[in-house]
Amino acid sequence: MSKILRTEPNAILSKAVEYHGFVFTQGVVAGDLSLDAEGQTKDILTQIDAILEEHGTDNTRILQAQIWLKDIKDRDALNRVWSAWLPEGMAPARACVQATLADPRVLVEIMLITTK
């Protein structure tokens, strides 16, 4: 049976879960919620880089992304940062929707499924 590796689990979630060569991240939000949508996206992607590195993978191996925005009008700001971060030709399957997020200061939340 394959081992399930849980990174920094707590009572309600793990930062990431690795199973059978796949890495599933938590919904990542910015550490600095005073930033605008572009700044929060940069912060989130920096955190995601660290999570992926910890699991021996990177942003060339993303299969799927789920993105939630407090206001869909911030999609262009998100996409500027997202597109610069993704290697050319490596865009994953993706959903990007407007949602009510847990903290009103959170403008962006991103969750990924990657492979090793």
Side-chain angles (χ1 to χ4, degrees):
M1 188 177 296
S2 294
K3 182 179 178 182
I4 298 173
L5 174 64
R6 298 177 197 282
T7 304
E8 298 181 28
N10 64 37
I12 60 169
L13 60 84
S14 296
K15 183 183 277 187
V17 175
E18 183 178 330
Y19 179 71
H20 254 285
F22 291 93
V23 178
F24 305 83
T25 72
Q26 68 180 5
V28 180
V29 298
D32 182 353
L33 297 179
S34 69
L35 297 170
D36 63 7
E38 191 167 324
Q40 286 192 22
T41 302
K42 288 177 185 176
D43 183 318
I44 291 165
L45 296 178
T46 297
Q47 291 181 63
I48 286 173
D49 282 336
I51 293 169
L52 298 181
E53 183 178 343
E54 185 173 347
H55 285 270
T57 190
D58 60 33
N59 66 350
T60 67
R61 309 284 296 164
I62 301 169
L63 302 174
Q64 183 182 46
Q66 297 175 53
I67 303 172
W68 297 273
L69 295 172
K70 179 178 180 177
D71 187 336
I72 200 68
K73 292 175 186 169
D74 287 331
R75 193 170 59 130
D76 288 342
L78 164 95
N79 282 336
R80 277 191 298 276
V81 178
W82 176 263
S83 296
W85 177 73
L86 278 178
E88 187 173 339
M90 298 293 180
R94 185 182 111 164
C96 181
V97 299
Q98 180 173 303
T100 302
L101 300 169
D103 182 322
R105 299 171 300 160
V106 173
L107 305 178
V108 181
E109 183 170 349
I110 300 175
M111 182 178 201
L112 301 178
I113 299 173
T114 65
T115 188
K116 292 182 79 163

